[in-house]
Structures are given as C-alpha cells and as structure tokens.
C-alpha cells in the first residue's frame, strides 16, 4: 500500500521541481535530496516492483536526481524557490496586517512568525508558490530561447544572402572579363567599319582626294 501511494505521489509531482518529486521541503539540502533519491529509487525500482508505471516513476525520480547534480539547473531552481519564499512571506505580512487577531498575537508573542515558518502551512504554500514561479520562469526561458533561435536563424539567412551576393558579384566580374576581348574586338570592328564608310564616301564625292 505504501509503495503504491509512493508511485502515485512521484507520478503526480510537479516535474520541474526535484524537491516535489522526491517529496522534500523547499529548504532541503543537496545531501537531503541525494539521500531521499536513494531511498525512493530503491522502493520504486522497476526490477523490484510490478506497478504498471514503475518505469515512468523511476525515470522521473532519476531525472530529479540529475537536476540536483546539475549546478546550472539547481541554480535556476534555487532562484525560483527563493523568489517563491519571498512571495509567501509578503502575502503573510499582508494577511497579518489585515487580521487584527494575528497582528495582536505577533505583538504579544515574540518569535511567532519564526514558529509559523516551521509549520506545514508555510511549507505547503511555499511549495505551491514555487510551482507557480518555476512555471513562469520556464515559460520566460523558453520564450527567450525561441527569440534567440529566431535571431540566430535571421543572422544565418543574412550571412547566406551576403555569400550569395558575393558569389553573384564574382560571377558577373568573371563574365565581364571573359567578354572584354569580345567587346574590344567589336569596338575595333565598329571603328574599322566606320572608317571604311568614310573612305567610301570621300571616294564617291567628285574632286575628293
């Protein structure tokens, strides 16, 4: 029963967040994540269980572990987690200001906010907010990546056009040079014919020398 529930939890986790896949709080350390992966992977390994989606669940857990080991991926994820935490705390501050009872409690009891930060409510809200932030960041990253690809494609096309223009110019220059002798010969023939006609005209004029 426990293993079956574990499969469902892994398969139903938010796939951009390794903390969620491995069922850990957002403040878990890299060591916590590695230990949890070893524990979870042993329980859901396809060779040890006959769950219909065992392979898929194991691959998700393995992908989460690879994310943890990838410094760039974790930098991205940690940034989202910190942003999500700030968002939750900002929302909490507004709630306390609006709620007279909460506001009074915070004034009377020192450390009440620190106590709340250890509660399940805080960590649940942190997890949900992390999902929202990660989704937004991933969307922006993909959109930015698309713009980069479009710009790279534009540059590539411009370079191809410039190369083609250079080839066409070389071809025209070569053709012009090849036809130069023909043009010169044609001009010479034209001048020769013109001179010949002049001589004939003179010969036809009475008294012309």
């Amino acid at each position: 029963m426990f293993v079956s529930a574990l499969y469902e939890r892994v398969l139903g986790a938010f796939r951009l967040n390794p903390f969620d896949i491995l069922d850990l709080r957002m403040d878990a350390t890299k060591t916590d994540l590695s230990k949890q992966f070893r524990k979870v992977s042993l329980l859901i390994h396809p060779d040890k269980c006959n769950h219909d989606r065992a392979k898929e669940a194991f691959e998700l857990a393995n992908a989460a572990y690879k994310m943890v080991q990838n410094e760039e991926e974790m930098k991205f994820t940690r940034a989202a987690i910190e942003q999500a935490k700030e968002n939750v705390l900002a929302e909490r501050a507004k709630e306390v200001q609006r709620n007279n009872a909460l506001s009074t409690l915070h004034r009377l009891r020192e450390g009440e906010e620190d106590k709340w930060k250890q509660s399940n409510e805080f960590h649940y809200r942190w997890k949900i907010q992390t999902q929202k932030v990660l989704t937004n960041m991933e969307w922006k990253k993909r959109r930015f990546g698309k713009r980069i690809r479009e710009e790279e494609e534009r540059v590539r096309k411009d370079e191809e056009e410039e190369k083609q223009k250079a080839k066409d110019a070389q071809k025209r220059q070569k053709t012009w040079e090849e036809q130069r002798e023909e043009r010169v010969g044609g001009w010479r023939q034209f001048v020769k014919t013109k001179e010949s006609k002049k001589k004939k005209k003179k010969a036809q004029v009475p008294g012309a020398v």
Side-chain angles (χ1 to χ4, degrees), residues 11-180:
L11 291 167
F14 182 59
R15 303 192 177 193
L16 293 177
N17 188 355
F19 294 79
D20 195 22
I21 295 172
L22 298 174
D23 197 27
L24 288 173
R25 288 183 168 185
M26 301 301 103
D27 56 357
T29 65
K30 185 176 180 179
T31 301
D32 294 332
L33 288 159
S34 296
K35 286 181 180 178
Q36 183 72 351
F37 166 71
R38 286 193 291 271
K39 178 181 175 182
V40 170
S41 62
L42 285 172
L43 290 170
I44 65 173
H45 199 285
D47 293 342
K48 296 184 178 181
C49 302
N50 57 1
H51 191 280
D52 292 342
R53 300 175 68 188
K55 184 180 179 181
E56 182 183 352
F58 181 77
E59 287 176 350
L60 277 174
N62 196 46
Y65 181 69
K66 287 181 179 179
M67 286 173 66
V68 172
Q69 300 303 312
N70 187 311
E71 290 186 9
E72 284 300 314
E73 286 280 354
M74 282 305 291
K75 185 178 179 180
F76 178 81
T77 303
R78 291 284 188 189
I81 288 172
E82 286 305 309
Q83 182 61 59
K85 184 179 181 180
E86 290 179 13
N87 293 351
V88 172
L89 293 177
E91 289 174 359
R92 172 69 173 177
K94 290 178 182 178
E95 290 168 3
V96 170
Q97 287 179 351
R98 289 195 298 265
N99 190 315
N100 290 331
L102 270 177
S103 184
T104 301
L105 183 64
H106 277 67
R107 286 197 302 270
L108 294 175
R109 294 185 183 178
E110 187 178 344
E112 190 65 27
E113 192 64 15
D114 290 334
K115 183 179 178 182
W116 181 76
K117 289 177 185 177
Q118 299 301 318
S119 68
N120 289 332
E121 179 194 354
F122 168 70
H123 283 278
Y124 175 75
R125 289 172 64 171
W126 191 2
K127 181 179 80 169
I128 297 302
Q129 187 62 223
T130 298
Q131 180 175 332
K132 292 178 181 178
V133 174
L134 272 172
T135 299
N136 188 46
M137 289 175 70
E138 182 66 20
W139 179 80
K140 287 181 178 179
K141 186 170 75 170
R142 291 182 183 182
R143 187 179 177 185
F144 182 66
K146 182 181 178 183
R147 287 204 301 270
I148 289 176
R149 288 193 296 273
E150 288 173 348
E151 181 62 16
E152 288 175 343
E153 180 64 16
R154 185 191 66 77
V155 170
R156 185 186 66 78
K157 285 183 178 179
D158 287 347
E159 288 176 348
E160 286 182 354
E161 287 178 6
E162 288 300 318
K163 286 179 181 178
Q164 188 59 47
K165 286 179 182 178
K167 284 182 180 179
D168 292 343
Q170 287 178 351
K171 188 176 180 180
R172 286 194 298 271
Q173 180 66 24
K174 185 179 180 181
T175 301
W176 187 87
E177 289 175 355
E178 288 175 348
Q179 294 176 345
R180 184 169 179 272

